Amino acid sequence: MALPHVRLFKENSLQSVLTANSYFDGVIVFFSDKKALFESVPSTQAIADLDPTFGDELQVVIPHDAKPSKRVLIVPVGSLNNDFDDVRRYRGRSSILCSWICSGDSDAAFAAGTKAIKTGIVAPLIVFADTPAQTRTDWTYSTENDYACFLEVTLLGFLEASYEPIDAREHLARTNKSLFEFKELGLVSSWVKEDSEDWIQRVLAIEQGRRLAKDIGSPDPERMSPIRIVEYLQEQFKDDSVVKMTVINDIDVIKKEYPLAHAVTRASLAVPRHHPRFVHFEYKSPDQSQVKENLYFVGKGVTFDTGGADIKSDGHMRDMSRDKCGAASVAGFLKTVELLQPKGVNITAGLALVRNSIGPDSYVCDEIIYSRNGTRVLVGNTDAEGRMVMTDLLCEFKERALKHKKTEEASSKAPALLFTVATLTGHALRAYDGYAIALDNGFSRRNKISRRLHDAGHVLGDPFEISTMRREDIEVVQPGRSSEDVIQANDKPSTMTNRGHQYPAGFMLIASGLNKHGLSHDDPIGYTHVDIAGSAEVMSAVGWSLPRTTGSPVAAFTGAFLI
């Protein structure tokens, strides 16, 4: 889906911009203080004199003098300086269901973009009657202004409003109907100090990554089965000399290299179109001497999760086509990497694309399965498949990181940081509602990896909560017999288990062998587990439909590691 052409005007005269660029067919005015609105659009003062509630809600105004435009969309962002306000006042639709705190004036850009499209505006010019720079908002943990990226967040909100999922686009093409979207987007602001084109390209790179993530994460499990995800990715990364993509489709190779994931996918092997795929991406900085970090990302891509033999019941299977959003977001992040080509990082990524089906050959609890690391895993719950499909990839990346440290490459001295990214637990939702969660091992905690994700997400409208991995998360999965080395899970849902989103990281540490490369080891490796069960989708749906996917945490990853 093509992105609209974006222009940034660093001048203060709105009228001069409109005079020189007559193709803009509507003006969208953001404001926090109504007085600023009246100064920007003087004709609105008369309306407010007659209606004190004017300006409380998003609405279209037709100025009698056609100034600054024949159609003006006024967009209140609400308060900006209360203790719990943040840049999501400007953002696209939040993954949080804002109610008593955010009220109806939150998520301004997504709402404004949606309204503009419905109104028939295809080339809006976006202006700000006032800016958050005029408010005092220094309560954040970071020394950076909470609203440092409000302009980026606003543009991302409009781009999100004009996005349609791939299956919807395919339906429009099939029925010979047109997709109504923005053709041009203009912003008037002197806030950006860097080169306008560089700024625009960075924001568009984030959006293209988010769109790729949503194209994979949103559709049904047949449209985005493992095989069809690979077909889509091959099209997206074809002829790419920056990011190398390889695919493993041989079942015997998968069984040998990724035995825990193979166990999960056993029942799906009876249906050829549901067969698993493993995808690897590799990006190498064009200047290895500038590499500060070697990053490795593992994405959970369960295209549908029935729960397996421990079947999901009472309606809990609904929405499980979205259990691939971890892999989707990792793939989206690599698209952003491809476009930005950062010099300070090398990035390796792996997607485990499987279906957790039910059948005669389903893996079951009480099985003991050897991991790639040679660890004997006692299966406790087949619905805890996410940690199973990621652990062997995590082990492989541990091996690669250790091998790279022994080379003579200039980047070999840079630290290795590993990540698992998944819609992993219901406990994440119970604990933190609609926020992404990050938790570190000792090396990553000392290097403040979760804090970087928190701070980047905070200013880019892709918020994170910082959780903590503790000794109890290691102790609880310890073996109880000589027959096993680690226990995958208990027999209860994560929501009914103490520390239900933390202990899976403890399991993956042990089963992958990463626990032997902690702070006390000669070659420590960083590990951060990212649970996006809360942020991968918005927290509400229309009627009985499914929620919208968000593309989180592509923006936070970009802010933390690429910018």
Side-chain angles (χ1 to χ4, degrees), residues 192-226:
V192 177
K193 305 304 180 187
E194 65 182 290
D195 179 77
S196 296
E197 283 305 310
D198 290 345
W199 182 88
I200 290 169
Q201 291 309 310
R202 187 171 68 245
V203 178
L204 294 183
I206 293 173
E207 177 60 16
Q208 285 187 266
R210 293 200 312 179
R211 289 189 174 195
L212 189 150
K214 290 187 284 188
D215 272 357
I216 295 173
S218 179
D220 74 80
E222 293 295 337
R223 176 60 188 89
M224 283 297 170
S225 65

PDB file of all heavy atoms in Angstrom, residues 192-226:
ATOM      1  N   VAL A 192      10.784  21.086  13.892  1.00  0.00           N
ATOM      2  CA  VAL A 192      11.862  20.216  13.424  1.00  0.00           C
ATOM      3  C   VAL A 192      13.067  21.064  13.025  1.00  0.00           C
ATOM      4  O   VAL A 192      12.954  21.959  12.183  1.00  0.00           O
ATOM      5  CB  VAL A 192      11.395  19.357  12.226  1.00  0.00           C
ATOM      6  CG1 VAL A 192      12.547  18.509  11.699  1.00  0.00           C
ATOM      7  CG2 VAL A 192      10.229  18.465  12.645  1.00  0.00           C
ATOM      8  N   LYS A 193      14.219  20.769  13.592  1.00  0.00           N
ATOM      9  CA  LYS A 193      15.426  21.540  13.322  1.00  0.00           C
ATOM     10  C   LYS A 193      16.313  20.877  12.268  1.00  0.00           C
ATOM     11  O   LYS A 193      17.124  21.534  11.636  1.00  0.00           O
ATOM     12  CB  LYS A 193      16.231  21.733  14.611  1.00  0.00           C
ATOM     13  CG  LYS A 193      15.431  22.371  15.744  1.00  0.00           C
ATOM     14  CD  LYS A 193      14.828  23.722  15.334  1.00  0.00           C
ATOM     15  CE  LYS A 193      14.027  24.329  16.478  1.00  0.00           C
ATOM     16  NZ  LYS A 193      13.310  25.558  16.048  1.00  0.00           N
ATOM     17  N   GLU A 194      16.184  19.573  12.086  1.00  0.00           N
ATOM     18  CA  GLU A 194      17.023  18.871  11.127  1.00  0.00           C
ATOM     19  C   GLU A 194      16.479  19.031   9.711  1.00  0.00           C
ATOM     20  O   GLU A 194      15.433  19.658   9.487  1.00  0.00           O
ATOM     21  CB  GLU A 194      17.104  17.389  11.491  1.00  0.00           C
ATOM     22  CG  GLU A 194      15.770  16.657  11.382  1.00  0.00           C
ATOM     23  CD  GLU A 194      15.874  15.203  11.799  1.00  0.00           C
ATOM     24  OE1 GLU A 194      16.504  14.432  11.047  1.00  0.00           O
ATOM     25  OE2 GLU A 194      15.328  14.851  12.866  1.00  0.00           O
ATOM     26  N   ASP A 195      17.172  18.454   8.743  1.00  0.00           N
ATOM     27  CA  ASP A 195      16.731  18.507   7.356  1.00  0.00           C
ATOM     28  C   ASP A 195      15.344  17.886   7.217  1.00  0.00           C
ATOM     29  O   ASP A 195      15.092  16.782   7.728  1.00  0.00           O
ATOM     30  CB  ASP A 195      17.728  17.763   6.475  1.00  0.00           C
ATOM     31  CG  ASP A 195      17.317  17.759   5.017  1.00  0.00           C
ATOM     32  OD1 ASP A 195      17.498  18.787   4.342  1.00  0.00           O
ATOM     33  OD2 ASP A 195      16.790  16.719   4.570  1.00  0.00           O
ATOM     34  N   SER A 196      14.450  18.573   6.536  1.00  0.00           N
ATOM     35  CA  SER A 196      13.057  18.131   6.430  1.00  0.00           C
ATOM     36  C   SER A 196      12.947  16.762   5.791  1.00  0.00           C
ATOM     37  O   SER A 196      12.180  15.901   6.257  1.00  0.00           O
ATOM     38  CB  SER A 196      12.235  19.144   5.620  1.00  0.00           C
ATOM     39  OG  SER A 196      12.170  20.376   6.281  1.00  0.00           O
ATOM     40  N   GLU A 197      13.684  16.528   4.711  1.00  0.00           N
ATOM     41  CA  GLU A 197      13.587  15.257   4.002  1.00  0.00           C
ATOM     42  C   GLU A 197      14.086  14.106   4.860  1.00  0.00           C
ATOM     43  O   GLU A 197      13.505  13.012   4.846  1.00  0.00           O
ATOM     44  CB  GLU A 197      14.351  15.319   2.681  1.00  0.00           C
ATOM     45  CG  GLU A 197      13.623  16.078   1.590  1.00  0.00           C
ATOM     46  CD  GLU A 197      12.216  15.538   1.336  1.00  0.00           C
ATOM     47  OE1 GLU A 197      12.070  14.301   1.168  1.00  0.00           O
ATOM     48  OE2 GLU A 197      11.258  16.342   1.319  1.00  0.00           O
ATOM     49  N   ASP A 198      15.154  14.315   5.623  1.00  0.00           N
ATOM     50  CA  ASP A 198      15.658  13.267   6.514  1.00  0.00           C
ATOM     51  C   ASP A 198      14.605  12.932   7.569  1.00  0.00           C
ATOM     52  O   ASP A 198      14.384  11.753   7.886  1.00  0.00           O
ATOM     53  CB  ASP A 198      16.949  13.723   7.198  1.00  0.00           C
ATOM     54  CG  ASP A 198      18.120  13.803   6.233  1.00  0.00           C
ATOM     55  OD1 ASP A 198      18.022  13.248   5.124  1.00  0.00           O
ATOM     56  OD2 ASP A 198      19.139  14.438   6.587  1.00  0.00           O
ATOM     57  N   TRP A 199      13.990  13.967   8.106  1.00  0.00           N
ATOM     58  CA  TRP A 199      12.951  13.765   9.127  1.00  0.00           C
ATOM     59  C   TRP A 199      11.775  12.981   8.544  1.00  0.00           C
ATOM     60  O   TRP A 199      11.289  12.016   9.146  1.00  0.00           O
ATOM     61  CB  TRP A 199      12.486  15.125   9.651  1.00  0.00           C
ATOM     62  CG  TRP A 199      11.454  15.045  10.731  1.00  0.00           C
ATOM     63  CD1 TRP A 199      11.664  14.935  12.072  1.00  0.00           C
ATOM     64  CD2 TRP A 199      10.026  15.069  10.547  1.00  0.00           C
ATOM     65  NE1 TRP A 199      10.460  14.888  12.739  1.00  0.00           N
ATOM     66  CE2 TRP A 199       9.443  14.969  11.832  1.00  0.00           C
ATOM     67  CE3 TRP A 199       9.199  15.170   9.440  1.00  0.00           C
ATOM     68  CZ2 TRP A 199       8.066  14.964  12.027  1.00  0.00           C
ATOM     69  CZ3 TRP A 199       7.816  15.160   9.627  1.00  0.00           C
ATOM     70  CH2 TRP A 199       7.267  15.059  10.909  1.00  0.00           C
ATOM     71  N   ILE A 200      11.321  13.378   7.381  1.00  0.00           N
ATOM     72  CA  ILE A 200      10.181  12.711   6.744  1.00  0.00           C
ATOM     73  C   ILE A 200      10.509  11.253   6.442  1.00  0.00           C
ATOM     74  O   ILE A 200       9.704  10.350   6.727  1.00  0.00           O
ATOM     75  CB  ILE A 200       9.763  13.454   5.463  1.00  0.00           C
ATOM     76  CG1 ILE A 200       9.135  14.801   5.808  1.00  0.00           C
ATOM     77  CG2 ILE A 200       8.787  12.625   4.628  1.00  0.00           C
ATOM     78  CD1 ILE A 200       8.925  15.709   4.606  1.00  0.00           C
ATOM     79  N   GLN A 201      11.669  10.998   5.902  1.00  0.00           N
ATOM     80  CA  GLN A 201      12.033   9.630   5.539  1.00  0.00           C
ATOM     81  C   GLN A 201      12.125   8.731   6.762  1.00  0.00           C
ATOM     82  O   GLN A 201      11.789   7.541   6.687  1.00  0.00           O
ATOM     83  CB  GLN A 201      13.353   9.629   4.760  1.00  0.00           C
ATOM     84  CG  GLN A 201      13.251  10.253   3.378  1.00  0.00           C
ATOM     85  CD  GLN A 201      12.093   9.683   2.559  1.00  0.00           C
ATOM     86  OE1 GLN A 201      11.934   8.467   2.446  1.00  0.00           O
ATOM     87  NE2 GLN A 201      11.271  10.571   2.003  1.00  0.00           N
ATOM     88  N   ARG A 202      12.564   9.273   7.883  1.00  0.00           N
ATOM     89  CA  ARG A 202      12.635   8.466   9.098  1.00  0.00           C
ATOM     90  C   ARG A 202      11.231   8.079   9.569  1.00  0.00           C
ATOM     91  O   ARG A 202      10.985   6.914   9.936  1.00  0.00           O
ATOM     92  CB  ARG A 202      13.383   9.219  10.199  1.00  0.00           C
ATOM     93  CG  ARG A 202      13.628   8.359  11.431  1.00  0.00           C
ATOM     94  CD  ARG A 202      14.557   9.022  12.418  1.00  0.00           C
ATOM     95  NE  ARG A 202      13.955  10.196  13.036  1.00  0.00           N
ATOM     96  CZ  ARG A 202      14.388  11.436  12.876  1.00  0.00           C
ATOM     97  NH1 ARG A 202      15.424  11.670  12.092  1.00  0.00           N
ATOM     98  NH2 ARG A 202      13.802  12.437  13.480  1.00  0.00           N
ATOM     99  N   VAL A 203      10.310   9.032   9.559  1.00  0.00           N
ATOM    100  CA  VAL A 203       8.940   8.726   9.985  1.00  0.00           C
ATOM    101  C   VAL A 203       8.296   7.732   9.020  1.00  0.00           C
ATOM    102  O   VAL A 203       7.615   6.780   9.439  1.00  0.00           O
ATOM    103  CB  VAL A 203       8.097  10.014  10.080  1.00  0.00           C
ATOM    104  CG1 VAL A 203       6.663   9.678  10.479  1.00  0.00           C
ATOM    105  CG2 VAL A 203       8.709  10.982  11.093  1.00  0.00           C
ATOM    106  N   LEU A 204       8.495   7.932   7.738  1.00  0.00           N
ATOM    107  CA  LEU A 204       7.904   7.022   6.751  1.00  0.00           C
ATOM    108  C   LEU A 204       8.497   5.619   6.866  1.00  0.00           C
ATOM    109  O   LEU A 204       7.802   4.624   6.628  1.00  0.00           O
ATOM    110  CB  LEU A 204       8.094   7.573   5.342  1.00  0.00           C
ATOM    111  CG  LEU A 204       7.345   8.866   5.012  1.00  0.00           C
ATOM    112  CD1 LEU A 204       7.574   9.258   3.553  1.00  0.00           C
ATOM    113  CD2 LEU A 204       5.845   8.734   5.288  1.00  0.00           C
ATOM    114  N   ALA A 205       9.770   5.525   7.250  1.00  0.00           N
ATOM    115  CA  ALA A 205      10.387   4.210   7.444  1.00  0.00           C
ATOM    116  C   ALA A 205       9.730   3.472   8.607  1.00  0.00           C
ATOM    117  O   ALA A 205       9.490   2.258   8.541  1.00  0.00           O
ATOM    118  CB  ALA A 205      11.887   4.368   7.690  1.00  0.00           C
ATOM    119  N   ILE A 206       9.430   4.201   9.686  1.00  0.00           N
ATOM    120  CA  ILE A 206       8.708   3.588  10.805  1.00  0.00           C
ATOM    121  C   ILE A 206       7.341   3.117  10.344  1.00  0.00           C
ATOM    122  O   ILE A 206       6.912   1.995  10.641  1.00  0.00           O
ATOM    123  CB  ILE A 206       8.565   4.585  11.974  1.00  0.00           C
ATOM    124  CG1 ILE A 206       9.933   4.898  12.584  1.00  0.00           C
ATOM    125  CG2 ILE A 206       7.619   4.028  13.046  1.00  0.00           C
ATOM    126  CD1 ILE A 206       9.901   5.992  13.639  1.00  0.00           C
ATOM    127  N   GLU A 207       6.641   3.956   9.569  1.00  0.00           N
ATOM    128  CA  GLU A 207       5.301   3.588   9.125  1.00  0.00           C
ATOM    129  C   GLU A 207       5.329   2.390   8.181  1.00  0.00           C
ATOM    130  O   GLU A 207       4.464   1.512   8.263  1.00  0.00           O
ATOM    131  CB  GLU A 207       4.620   4.772   8.443  1.00  0.00           C
ATOM    132  CG  GLU A 207       3.251   4.471   7.873  1.00  0.00           C
ATOM    133  CD  GLU A 207       2.232   3.994   8.901  1.00  0.00           C
ATOM    134  OE1 GLU A 207       2.457   4.172  10.120  1.00  0.00           O
ATOM    135  OE2 GLU A 207       1.182   3.435   8.496  1.00  0.00           O
ATOM    136  N   GLN A 208       6.306   2.326   7.292  1.00  0.00           N
ATOM    137  CA  GLN A 208       6.370   1.173   6.399  1.00  0.00           C
ATOM    138  C   GLN A 208       6.636  -0.106   7.180  1.00  0.00           C
ATOM    139  O   GLN A 208       6.106  -1.171   6.838  1.00  0.00           O
ATOM    140  CB  GLN A 208       7.437   1.403   5.328  1.00  0.00           C
ATOM    141  CG  GLN A 208       6.982   2.397   4.269  1.00  0.00           C
ATOM    142  CD  GLN A 208       7.957   2.511   3.115  1.00  0.00           C
ATOM    143  OE1 GLN A 208       8.828   3.376   3.108  1.00  0.00           O
ATOM    144  NE2 GLN A 208       7.815   1.641   2.144  1.00  0.00           N
ATOM    145  N   GLY A 209       7.437  -0.017   8.228  1.00  0.00           N
ATOM    146  CA  GLY A 209       7.632  -1.168   9.093  1.00  0.00           C
ATOM    147  C   GLY A 209       6.360  -1.570   9.808  1.00  0.00           C
ATOM    148  O   GLY A 209       6.027  -2.758   9.906  1.00  0.00           O
ATOM    149  N   ARG A 210       5.631  -0.583  10.315  1.00  0.00           N
ATOM    150  CA  ARG A 210       4.360  -0.884  10.995  1.00  0.00           C
ATOM    151  C   ARG A 210       3.365  -1.506  10.027  1.00  0.00           C
ATOM    152  O   ARG A 210       2.618  -2.421  10.396  1.00  0.00           O
ATOM    153  CB  ARG A 210       3.767   0.392  11.602  1.00  0.00           C
ATOM    154  CG  ARG A 210       4.571   0.991  12.736  1.00  0.00           C
ATOM    155  CD  ARG A 210       3.741   1.920  13.600  1.00  0.00           C
ATOM    156  NE  ARG A 210       2.969   2.889  12.843  1.00  0.00           N
ATOM    157  CZ  ARG A 210       2.157   3.784  13.395  1.00  0.00           C
ATOM    158  NH1 ARG A 210       2.029   3.821  14.716  1.00  0.00           N
ATOM    159  NH2 ARG A 210       1.495   4.652  12.650  1.00  0.00           N
ATOM    160  N   ARG A 211       3.318  -1.005   8.800  1.00  0.00           N
ATOM    161  CA  ARG A 211       2.361  -1.539   7.830  1.00  0.00           C
ATOM    162  C   ARG A 211       2.680  -2.980   7.465  1.00  0.00           C
ATOM    163  O   ARG A 211       1.775  -3.805   7.330  1.00  0.00           O
ATOM    164  CB  ARG A 211       2.321  -0.651   6.581  1.00  0.00           C
ATOM    165  CG  ARG A 211       1.667   0.689   6.849  1.00  0.00           C
ATOM    166  CD  ARG A 211       1.417   1.492   5.591  1.00  0.00           C
ATOM    167  NE  ARG A 211       0.653   2.694   5.909  1.00  0.00           N
ATOM    168  CZ  ARG A 211       0.039   3.455   5.021  1.00  0.00           C
ATOM    169  NH1 ARG A 211       0.093   3.146   3.727  1.00  0.00           N
ATOM    170  NH2 ARG A 211      -0.655   4.526   5.401  1.00  0.00           N
ATOM    171  N   LEU A 212       3.966  -3.289   7.319  1.00  0.00           N
ATOM    172  CA  LEU A 212       4.329  -4.671   7.048  1.00  0.00           C
ATOM    173  C   LEU A 212       3.914  -5.566   8.219  1.00  0.00           C
ATOM    174  O   LEU A 212       3.362  -6.652   8.020  1.00  0.00           O
ATOM    175  CB  LEU A 212       5.834  -4.777   6.788  1.00  0.00           C
ATOM    176  CG  LEU A 212       6.348  -6.123   6.291  1.00  0.00           C
ATOM    177  CD1 LEU A 212       7.570  -5.945   5.402  1.00  0.00           C
ATOM    178  CD2 LEU A 212       6.698  -7.063   7.443  1.00  0.00           C
ATOM    179  N   ALA A 213       4.163  -5.085   9.431  1.00  0.00           N
ATOM    180  CA  ALA A 213       3.781  -5.854  10.618  1.00  0.00           C
ATOM    181  C   ALA A 213       2.278  -6.088  10.661  1.00  0.00           C
ATOM    182  O   ALA A 213       1.813  -7.191  10.976  1.00  0.00           O
ATOM    183  CB  ALA A 213       4.249  -5.130  11.882  1.00  0.00           C
ATOM    184  N   LYS A 214       1.504  -5.075  10.330  1.00  0.00           N
ATOM    185  CA  LYS A 214       0.043  -5.218  10.371  1.00  0.00           C
ATOM    186  C   LYS A 214      -0.475  -6.069   9.218  1.00  0.00           C
ATOM    187  O   LYS A 214      -1.472  -6.783   9.374  1.00  0.00           O
ATOM    188  CB  LYS A 214      -0.609  -3.834  10.370  1.00  0.00           C
ATOM    189  CG  LYS A 214      -0.391  -3.082  11.678  1.00  0.00           C
ATOM    190  CD  LYS A 214      -1.180  -1.790  11.759  1.00  0.00           C
ATOM    191  CE  LYS A 214      -0.588  -0.699  10.930  1.00  0.00           C
ATOM    192  NZ  LYS A 214      -1.272   0.605  11.169  1.00  0.00           N
ATOM    193  N   ASP A 215       0.189  -5.996   8.084  1.00  0.00           N
ATOM    194  CA  ASP A 215      -0.214  -6.848   6.963  1.00  0.00           C
ATOM    195  C   ASP A 215      -0.078  -8.324   7.314  1.00  0.00           C
ATOM    196  O   ASP A 215      -0.873  -9.157   6.870  1.00  0.00           O
ATOM    197  CB  ASP A 215       0.643  -6.547   5.722  1.00  0.00           C
ATOM    198  CG  ASP A 215       0.077  -5.423   4.871  1.00  0.00           C
ATOM    199  OD1 ASP A 215      -1.012  -4.906   5.200  1.00  0.00           O
ATOM    200  OD2 ASP A 215       0.724  -5.057   3.870  1.00  0.00           O
ATOM    201  N   ILE A 216       0.930  -8.662   8.115  1.00  0.00           N
ATOM    202  CA  ILE A 216       1.103 -10.051   8.544  1.00  0.00           C
ATOM    203  C   ILE A 216       0.217 -10.370   9.742  1.00  0.00           C
ATOM    204  O   ILE A 216      -0.428 -11.415   9.807  1.00  0.00           O
ATOM    205  CB  ILE A 216       2.576 -10.327   8.894  1.00  0.00           C
ATOM    206  CG1 ILE A 216       3.454 -10.213   7.646  1.00  0.00           C
ATOM    207  CG2 ILE A 216       2.736 -11.712   9.527  1.00  0.00           C
ATOM    208  CD1 ILE A 216       4.941 -10.316   7.929  1.00  0.00           C
ATOM    209  N   GLY A 217       0.161  -9.460  10.694  1.00  0.00           N
ATOM    210  CA  GLY A 217      -0.522  -9.743  11.959  1.00  0.00           C
ATOM    211  C   GLY A 217      -2.023  -9.744  11.877  1.00  0.00           C
ATOM    212  O   GLY A 217      -2.697 -10.483  12.600  1.00  0.00           O
ATOM    213  N   SER A 218      -2.601  -8.918  10.989  1.00  0.00           N
ATOM    214  CA  SER A 218      -4.047  -8.731  10.989  1.00  0.00           C
ATOM    215  C   SER A 218      -4.851  -9.843  10.325  1.00  0.00           C
ATOM    216  O   SER A 218      -5.875 -10.261  10.863  1.00  0.00           O
ATOM    217  CB  SER A 218      -4.391  -7.386  10.316  1.00  0.00           C
ATOM    218  OG  SER A 218      -5.782  -7.186  10.282  1.00  0.00           O
ATOM    219  N   PRO A 219      -4.458 -10.355   9.158  1.00  0.00           N
ATOM    220  CA  PRO A 219      -5.354 -11.257   8.413  1.00  0.00           C
ATOM    221  C   PRO A 219      -5.614 -12.593   9.101  1.00  0.00           C
ATOM    222  O   PRO A 219      -4.944 -12.973  10.068  1.00  0.00           O
ATOM    223  CB  PRO A 219      -4.612 -11.461   7.086  1.00  0.00           C
ATOM    224  CG  PRO A 219      -3.713 -10.290   6.959  1.00  0.00           C
ATOM    225  CD  PRO A 219      -3.283  -9.990   8.361  1.00  0.00           C
ATOM    226  N   ASP A 220      -6.575 -13.312   8.531  1.00  0.00           N
ATOM    227  CA  ASP A 220      -6.977 -14.598   9.107  1.00  0.00           C
ATOM    228  C   ASP A 220      -5.868 -15.644   8.923  1.00  0.00           C
ATOM    229  O   ASP A 220      -4.924 -15.436   8.155  1.00  0.00           O
ATOM    230  CB  ASP A 220      -8.291 -15.061   8.463  1.00  0.00           C
ATOM    231  CG  ASP A 220      -8.094 -15.570   7.043  1.00  0.00           C
ATOM    232  OD1 ASP A 220      -7.674 -16.727   6.887  1.00  0.00           O
ATOM    233  OD2 ASP A 220      -8.360 -14.810   6.088  1.00  0.00           O
ATOM    234  N   PRO A 221      -5.978 -16.777   9.618  1.00  0.00           N
ATOM    235  CA  PRO A 221      -4.867 -17.744   9.630  1.00  0.00           C
ATOM    236  C   PRO A 221      -4.639 -18.468   8.316  1.00  0.00           C
ATOM    237  O   PRO A 221      -3.583 -19.096   8.153  1.00  0.00           O
ATOM    238  CB  PRO A 221      -5.266 -18.723  10.739  1.00  0.00           C
ATOM    239  CG  PRO A 221      -6.742 -18.593  10.866  1.00  0.00           C
ATOM    240  CD  PRO A 221      -7.050 -17.161  10.560  1.00  0.00           C
ATOM    241  N   GLU A 222      -5.570 -18.403   7.394  1.00  0.00           N
ATOM    242  CA  GLU A 222      -5.332 -18.992   6.078  1.00  0.00           C
ATOM    243  C   GLU A 222      -4.631 -17.995   5.162  1.00  0.00           C
ATOM    244  O   GLU A 222      -3.705 -18.345   4.433  1.00  0.00           O
ATOM    245  CB  GLU A 222      -6.648 -19.463   5.449  1.00  0.00           C
ATOM    246  CG  GLU A 222      -7.294 -20.629   6.180  1.00  0.00           C
ATOM    247  CD  GLU A 222      -6.465 -21.910   6.127  1.00  0.00           C
ATOM    248  OE1 GLU A 222      -5.635 -22.061   5.206  1.00  0.00           O
ATOM    249  OE2 GLU A 222      -6.630 -22.767   7.015  1.00  0.00           O
ATOM    250  N   ARG A 223      -5.072 -16.720   5.201  1.00  0.00           N
ATOM    251  CA  ARG A 223      -4.414 -15.709   4.372  1.00  0.00           C
ATOM    252  C   ARG A 223      -2.968 -15.511   4.786  1.00  0.00           C
ATOM    253  O   ARG A 223      -2.097 -15.259   3.946  1.00  0.00           O
ATOM    254  CB  ARG A 223      -5.168 -14.369   4.459  1.00  0.00           C
ATOM    255  CG  ARG A 223      -4.493 -13.215   3.702  1.00  0.00           C
ATOM    256  CD  ARG A 223      -4.371 -13.544   2.227  1.00  0.00           C
ATOM    257  NE  ARG A 223      -3.569 -12.572   1.477  1.00  0.00           N
ATOM    258  CZ  ARG A 223      -2.250 -12.648   1.310  1.00  0.00           C
ATOM    259  NH1 ARG A 223      -1.561 -13.651   1.865  1.00  0.00           N
ATOM    260  NH2 ARG A 223      -1.605 -11.754   0.583  1.00  0.00           N
ATOM    261  N   MET A 224      -2.695 -15.606   6.082  1.00  0.00           N
ATOM    262  CA  MET A 224      -1.323 -15.488   6.550  1.00  0.00           C
ATOM    263  C   MET A 224      -0.931 -16.758   7.312  1.00  0.00           C
ATOM    264  O   MET A 224      -0.625 -16.731   8.503  1.00  0.00           O
ATOM    265  CB  MET A 224      -1.140 -14.231   7.399  1.00  0.00           C
ATOM    266  CG  MET A 224      -1.051 -12.947   6.588  1.00  0.00           C
ATOM    267  SD  MET A 224       0.393 -12.922   5.482  1.00  0.00           S
ATOM    268  CE  MET A 224       0.032 -11.457   4.489  1.00  0.00           C
ATOM    269  N   SER A 225      -0.950 -17.872   6.587  1.00  0.00           N
ATOM    270  CA  SER A 225      -0.372 -19.122   7.080  1.00  0.00           C
ATOM    271  C   SER A 225       1.150 -18.998   6.985  1.00  0.00           C
ATOM    272  O   SER A 225       1.667 -18.072   6.351  1.00  0.00           O
ATOM    273  CB  SER A 225      -0.860 -20.291   6.233  1.00  0.00           C
ATOM    274  OG  SER A 225      -0.370 -20.149   4.902  1.00  0.00           O
ATOM    275  N   PRO A 226       1.903 -19.911   7.586  1.00  0.00           N
ATOM    276  CA  PRO A 226       3.367 -19.799   7.475  1.00  0.00           C
ATOM    277  C   PRO A 226       3.863 -19.701   6.032  1.00  0.00           C
ATOM    278  O   PRO A 226       4.727 -18.870   5.722  1.00  0.00           O
ATOM    279  CB  PRO A 226       3.853 -21.084   8.153  1.00  0.00           C
ATOM    280  CG  PRO A 226       2.809 -21.380   9.181  1.00  0.00           C
ATOM    281  CD  PRO A 226       1.513 -20.993   8.533  1.00  0.00           C
TER     282      PRO A 226
END
